[in-house]
Amino acid sequence: MPLIPEEPQIHESAQGPRTAPTPRPVPGPRPAASSRPGRPGPPRPAPPVQRASRDAVKPVPPGPPAPAAATPQLQLIPASAQGALDAAEEAVDLLLDSGRAPGDVLVITTGDPHPWATHELSFGEASYWAQHDAGDDVFYTDAKIAERAGTRPVVVVAVNGGPESAAVSALSVAHARAGALLIVCGDPQRINSVLGAGV
């Protein structure tokens, strides 16, 4: 077997002067990554963050004060008392199709409760309101108990019958609970008379 001669060694003094590599900026803080399958052990810590000196930080002047709570946009969908619930369902479908999250929507009825509400209440009020509190789906309630509902970005009211007091109560609660949009489905004349009464 032939012998391989050793490579000649180059001494550091013969290589010339060494220069330090150019430092690279350190990225900002990152969330710690969880360990990957097949990679034992805890996640690696995020790299240290370089902080600017106090002299380099300039105070930011305060901006304008936040505006007062805005009143929700009001949309009226004309429908008969018998068709108000269907109109409300159609409005909910359009909201969801346009990208609105189901948990953003509250539906209030003034007459007969929505079939979903009737079904869910059959399991007890605790279960029914737990679904409301979870806030991950459209929630249906009626004017008699709507006061207990929390704020949602969109409230849809179906004026599907019931006494005038139910319509007044539902519209009052809906106006207070709607963050951005209030949709009212029903007879425009009846709705305008209720809204004109100071709701």
Side-chain angles (χ1 to χ4, degrees):
M1 186 162 149
L3 292 173
I4 300 174
E6 290 186 86
E7 291 185 4
Q9 300 231 347
I10 302 174
H11 295 283
E12 284 188 16
S13 60
Q15 292 181 359
R18 285 190 173 174
T19 57
T22 306
R24 293 191 176 142
V26 178
R30 293 186 201 151
S34 59
S35 58
R36 295 184 202 146
R39 189 179 217 184
R44 295 187 326 199
V49 178
Q50 290 181 340
R51 300 194 184 270
S53 70
R54 290 181 185 229
D55 297 335
V57 178
K58 295 181 181 175
V60 177
T71 55
Q73 179 185 351
L74 178 65
Q75 288 184 8
L76 176 61
I77 300 176
S80 65
Q82 296 78 21
L85 197 53
D86 289 336
E89 281 292 327
E90 196 171 313
V92 169
D93 288 342
L94 288 171
L95 287 164
L96 299 178
D97 290 345
S98 70
R100 182 66 74 171
D104 286 355
V105 184
L106 170 68
V107 180
I108 302 172
T109 57
T110 62
D112 291 334
H114 188 278
W116 180 91
T118 303
H119 173 74
E120 292 303 319
L121 277 167
S122 70
F123 298 107
E125 281 203 26
S127 170
Y128 174 74
W129 287 108
Q131 290 188 26
H132 169 272
D133 296 341
D136 55 6
D137 205 353
V138 177
F139 189 77
Y140 297 87
T141 189
D142 66 53
K144 294 178 206 124
I145 58 175
E147 185 70 37
R148 188 169 166 187
T151 302
R152 297 226 175 163
V154 181
V155 178
V156 180
V157 178
V159 184
N160 62 331
E164 195 71 20
S165 61
V168 170
S169 173
L171 289 172
S172 177
V173 168
H175 193 266
R177 301 297 186 267
L181 180 61
L182 171 58
I183 300 172
V184 184
C185 307
D187 175 33
Q189 204 168 12
R190 182 176 183 196
I191 293 166
N192 284 329
S193 70
V194 171
L195 291 174
V199 172

